[in-house]
Amino acid sequence: MAYAFAERERRERGRDDLAFVTGGTRPADHVHPEVVEAMRAVGIDISERVPREVSFAEIQDADVVITMGCSAADVCPANWSGENRDWNLDDPDGKSPEEVARIRDDIASRVRALFTEF
């Protein structure tokens, strides 16, 4: 969800200077249906997306790493000098549509705030 919102913000704000990497330390094998539906409700189609693992090499040059409730220690190389922010979000897997919508809206708000900051 965060990556999809970041793509939208980048497009709407004309911030082609920003690059993103998405992935997890222990990614699921599919995007959960409740997440697909929650995003569809706000006009974003993520039905064809596939979760993937993020690697040390991919974030070596990152300025900021956002984690969603897990430690960045598993992802960030020991010599990495960037900033880590943990948003400590609930996992939407298996949650009610209302709970997933709340998580989605929280993520959207945080992404907007991050773009405003940068």
Side-chain angles (χ1 to χ4, degrees):
M1 287 190 280
Y3 188 77
F5 282 124
E7 288 176 316
R8 184 175 73 181
E9 284 293 317
R10 176 175 51 196
R11 188 174 50 255
E12 289 177 356
R13 294 181 188 226
R15 292 297 309 267
D16 293 333
D17 59 316
L18 298 176
F20 314 116
V21 173
T22 187
T25 56
R26 292 175 298 281
D29 60 352
H30 63 280
V31 177
H32 299 292
E34 57 269 30
V35 172
V36 172
E37 288 305 313
M39 294 300 284
R40 185 173 286 133
V42 294
I44 299 175
D45 181 9
I46 61 170
S47 62
E48 299 298 318
R49 305 241 176 149
V50 178
R52 58 181 294 282
E53 189 170 354
V54 68
S55 70
F56 288 138
E58 289 178 302
I59 62 166
Q60 184 66 43
D61 295 326
D63 295 317
V64 179
V65 170
I66 306 293
T67 53
M68 305 288 164
C70 59
S71 170
D74 293 341
V75 179
C76 298
N79 63 345
W80 181 66
S81 62
E83 178 184 352
N84 173 236
R85 299 180 189 188
D86 185 9
W87 286 355
N88 197 26
L89 299 165
D90 291 332
D91 185 346
D93 184 25
K95 300 278 193 293
S96 71
E98 295 78 21
E99 290 173 297
V100 177
R102 180 190 54 76
I103 295 166
R104 177 204 62 213
D105 295 346
D106 185 19
I107 293 170
S109 176
R110 290 172 188 248
V111 168
R112 279 191 304 274
L114 191 64
F115 267 78
T116 297
E117 179 182 339
F118 290 112

